[in-house]
Amino acid sequence: MITFEETGLSPEVLKAINELGYVNPTPIQEKTIPELKDGTNDVVALAQTGTGKTAAFSLPIIERVDCNNKNVQVLVLCPTRELALQITKDIIAYSKYISDLYITAVYGGADISKQMRELKKGSQIVVGTPGRVNDLCKRGVLKLDKLNYLVLDEADEMLNMGFKEELDSIISNTPDTRQSLLFSATMPKEIESMANRYLSNPVQLKVGKQNAGATTVDHIFYMVHAKDRYLALKRIADINPDIYGIVFCRTRHETKEVAEKLMADGYNADALHGDLSQAQRDQVMHRFRSRHLQILVATDVAARGIDVNDLSHVINYNLPDDIEAYTHRSGRTGRAGKTGTSIAIVHTKESSKIREIERISGIKFKREMVPSGAEICTRQLFHLVDRVENVEINHEQIDSFLPQIIEKLSGFDREDLIKRFVSVEFNRFISYYEGSKDLNVYKKDIVQDRPGRRGNEKFGRLYINVGKAHGLTAQRLMGIVNENTDKKKVSFGKIEILRNFTFFEVDEGGQKMVISALKGVKFESEKLHVEPATAKPPKRNQRKKFDNNNNNNSRSDNRRRR
């Protein structure tokens, strides 16, 4: 293992990173820094979340910036404002001893006029999200004709978020002589196509097995009925009194709902999602980073750019549809040489997802039983005893009150006093978990529901007003139905997902229940509407026209949100 001194970085950069505690480069840094420091080739770098990609590209690049030239020489594009702010903060720290180097972050959800003023003053490095960068380019404020370096960070996520058009527009404003760097955790066909389109004969740097999970993370799953998912989450939090982690949900609606429930139940939690203003996001993240929050409930997109090295847990309230998303999530714990735990709360119809993650990523899950009330009470009791044993006593303040306290409690013996002090903190757990039920699902309870007709079952066809454009998949559709119905045995038949709407079959006896259960439920901010489908779907040309109209509206809405 080499040290940063052996990479050949400048004394100014070495001094800054030494103050940050950097000693040895991570594998992706060890490969990337020499390539960028002395080379001119385009680069595709593949590495998982949390492996130090920001330092890998920024440390060598900041040395090559001409600080006497106020033109934009480096553009870093990333999917979210949180990540843009984090990258900017890191680059500022790395360039602490480089004079006259200016970095500006530009992103949606913030005052564009302030960002425009910063750019007009002159910045050699701009870090931004595609929507805002494209907007500033079109206004003529952000000029990229002198650009030397283009960095596409979290490229796979930018494509997943639908930024292809913005990327095309931005890159068309850059010179062909630029050096382009593409960083991604995964290499699907879309990223290969992106590399072929934007890069010229790139060198590929790869660290670790693609889609592999971090070796410092333990992977655990609990199996419960869908309706017991929140109760299981509470028990996970209670069995881990010192938990400091992120709970991942699929949608903004679910994120808000889970966070509100946790806060109402007395947990130190808050939510991070796309509906928050930048000021609200900053406030939540400040509280989380300073550990005033123990639990942050977030969507995948909102959590991009969260850079916290000492998370104890990542909890998948719902498993994501993509394997890559699971490795992204789990990679947020077990960082910086520490160990962590990634937990999945799985309902009865998701066991196949666990097997798929294991097969593709090489991760091995361990199934554990949701802790009982008695186990939680025992853990909490001894956690309290440990706190009492290790608490720092402020003698100067306490001693003055001690005579009155002793007099007040003189009627109790030692054992009675211990019981009373413990009960002050502990009674709520005993009361809550008294007679609590077993949340675990056992083999005999699992019903193997698979799409398609079985035996003599009859199915009814339903219409729902969301489709591929909203991120709907067969698994997510079944999950929505399962989570919003009390019935455990909703049988699905054929599922036909179109661009803006979907047809799906459920057993005839469950049709009315499904329609009623999904009424008013939101999916990705879209209020769901379910009704019996007509005998035939719209004709092909009518469907295409309908899809195009809705697609145009969807794009317009997306741009407004950015």
Side-chain angles (χ1 to χ4, degrees), residues 40-43 176 178 180 195-203:
T40 57
N41 293 318
D42 288 354
V43 173
D176 294 336
R178 71 180 187 274
S180 299
N196 292 333
R197 189 163 62 252
Y198 300 147
L199 279 64
S200 176
N201 299 317
V203 174

Side-chain angles (χ1 to χ4, degrees), residues 186-212:
T186 60
M187 191 67 170
K189 289 182 179 178
E190 293 82 3
I191 293 296
E192 284 188 36
S193 174
M194 189 181 195
N196 292 333
R197 189 163 62 252
Y198 300 147
L199 279 64
S200 176
N201 299 317
V203 174
Q204 188 171 124
L205 306 177
K206 186 176 178 182
V207 173
K209 181 182 174 184
Q210 193 173 340
N211 296 330

Side-chain angles (χ1 to χ4, degrees), residues 352-384:
S352 60
K353 277 192 178 182
I354 293 291
R355 292 193 296 272
E356 187 181 5
I357 293 171
E358 288 181 325
R359 178 178 60 82
I360 293 176
S361 67
I363 288 168
K364 187 64 180 174
F365 278 90
K366 178 184 177 184
R367 181 180 177 181
E368 292 191 358
M369 295 293 104
V370 179
S372 66
E375 290 172 319
I376 290 169
C377 288
T378 301
R379 177 69 62 84
Q380 287 286 343
L381 173 60
F382 286 101
H383 177 67
L384 173 61

Side-chain angles (χ1 to χ4, degrees), residues 479-545:
I480 295 166
V481 172
N482 290 329
E483 288 164 23
N484 289 281
T485 57
D486 294 327
K487 191 175 179 181
K488 310 294 191 307
K489 298 180 181 178
V490 175
S491 296
F492 289 87
K494 185 179 179 182
I495 298 175
E496 184 184 4
I497 302 177
L498 303 173
R499 181 164 184 80
N500 288 290
F501 56 92
T502 297
F503 295 111
F504 66 105
E505 296 176 339
V506 298
D507 57 281
E508 284 190 342
Q511 274 187 287
K512 289 183 179 178
M513 177 190 63
V514 171
I515 292 171
S516 175
L518 296 188
K519 186 176 181 181
V521 171
K522 285 189 176 181
F523 176 77
E524 300 293 352
S525 301
E526 191 75 28
K527 194 172 183 180
L528 296 182
H529 173 69
V530 183
E531 63 182 36
T534 54
K536 293 182 180 179
K539 291 180 181 178
R540 186 178 182 85
N541 60 342
Q542 292 175 328
R543 186 185 304 167
K544 185 175 181 182
K545 181 178 179 182

Side-chain angles (χ1 to χ4, degrees), residues 137-151:
C137 286
K138 288 181 176 179
R139 292 173 185 238
V141 180
L142 178 54
K143 301 182 187 300
L144 303 176
D145 56 313
K146 307 295 184 186
L147 195 74
N148 294 327
Y149 300 97
L150 170 69
V151 181

Side-chain angles (χ1 to χ4, degrees), residues 77-179:
L77 291 172
C78 56
T80 66
R81 52 190 175 184
E82 182 71 26
L83 185 53
L85 288 166
Q86 185 60 49
I87 292 171
T88 303
K89 178 183 174 185
D90 289 342
I91 296 177
I92 290 172
Y94 301 151
S95 59
K96 180 178 179 180
Y97 295 104
I98 299 177
S99 302
D100 299 320
L101 179 62
Y102 297 97
I103 302 102
T104 298
V106 297
Y107 46 86
D111 184 3
I112 193 170
S113 60
K114 182 179 178 183
Q115 295 172 1
M116 290 170 70
R117 287 195 297 271
E118 289 292 316
L119 292 172
K120 286 175 181 177
K121 288 179 185 177
S123 289
Q124 294 96 345
I125 300 177
V126 173
V127 183
T129 54
R132 179 54 59 92
V133 169
N134 191 39
D135 189 358
L136 290 166
C137 286
K138 288 181 176 179
R139 292 173 185 238
V141 180
L142 178 54
K143 301 182 187 300
L144 303 176
D145 56 313
K146 307 295 184 186
L147 195 74
N148 294 327
Y149 300 97
L150 170 69
V151 181
L152 304 172
D153 193 21
E154 303 276 16
D156 49 350
E157 191 61 25
M158 284 195 284
L159 286 186
N160 290 339
M161 293 172 67
F163 284 129
K164 180 181 177 299
E165 289 183 13
E166 286 81 358
L167 291 172
D168 286 340
S169 176
I170 293 165
I171 293 172
S172 69
N173 292 310
T174 63
D176 294 336
T177 54
R178 71 180 187 274
Q179 185 176 6

